[in-house]
Amino acid sequence: MPVPSTTPSHKLKDYTGSFENPAYGIIKIHLKDNNLYTLLGYENVILKHRHYDVFDPRLVDKNGVADTEPSNLLFNFFSDVAGQIQGIGILLDGSEKPVMFDRKATPVGVMK
């Protein structure tokens, strides 16, 4: 159940970047029109804020309309001790423990 009246702990741009898991590869999160998006396979997905630092991925159709049904595949962003977003935990393949995707370092000279 979502916790009502919560907000993300960071600005949305702080959640953007590339996050990697050795088995599942790279998830790239980007910001467009004040919303977070990613690709899952070949599907465009918007990340809808659920509560705190948890986002609900919703498929976006070719007309740009997001699915209205909540997902069980929640993206739980986590921070390091300095408060910087460092990764995403996602329950995949029916697992009880989240699969961790760690933030990839941004190459020098590249802006987020």
Side-chain angles (χ1 to χ4, degrees):
M1 258 345 249
V3 178
S5 303
T6 63
T7 59
S9 65
H10 293 74
K11 295 177 182 175
L12 289 180
K13 70 178 180 73
D14 294 340
Y15 297 92
T16 64
S18 295
F19 300 85
E20 185 172 28
N21 174 280
Y24 289 96
I26 297 171
I27 294 175
K28 294 180 181 179
I29 309 289
H30 66 278
L31 184 63
K32 178 182 171 190
D33 300 327
N34 207 35
N35 288 296
L36 295 173
Y37 289 89
T38 190
L39 286 175
L40 294 179
Y42 295 104
E43 301 287 343
N44 193 26
V45 173
I46 186 171
L47 300 179
K48 294 289 211 177
H49 182 252
R50 182 177 173 100
H51 54 236
Y52 303 112
D53 288 335
V54 177
F55 291 80
D56 185 357
R58 308 275 181 98
L59 292 178
V60 177
D61 69 18
K62 63 183 178 184
N63 298 315
V65 178
D67 191 353
T68 58
E69 288 297 315
S71 171
N72 291 328
L73 184 78
L74 300 176
F75 283 50
N76 187 9
F77 288 84
F78 63 90
S79 303
D80 62 14
V81 295
Q84 303 299 309
I85 299 293
Q86 288 303 309
I88 309 169
I90 306 171
L91 292 173
L92 295 174
D93 299 331
S95 62
E96 292 181 18
K97 293 175 88 175
V99 175
M100 304 310 291
F101 289 78
D102 296 318
R103 181 183 289 281
K104 289 183 55 132
T106 303
V108 176
V110 175
M111 300 293 291
K112 285 203 294 183

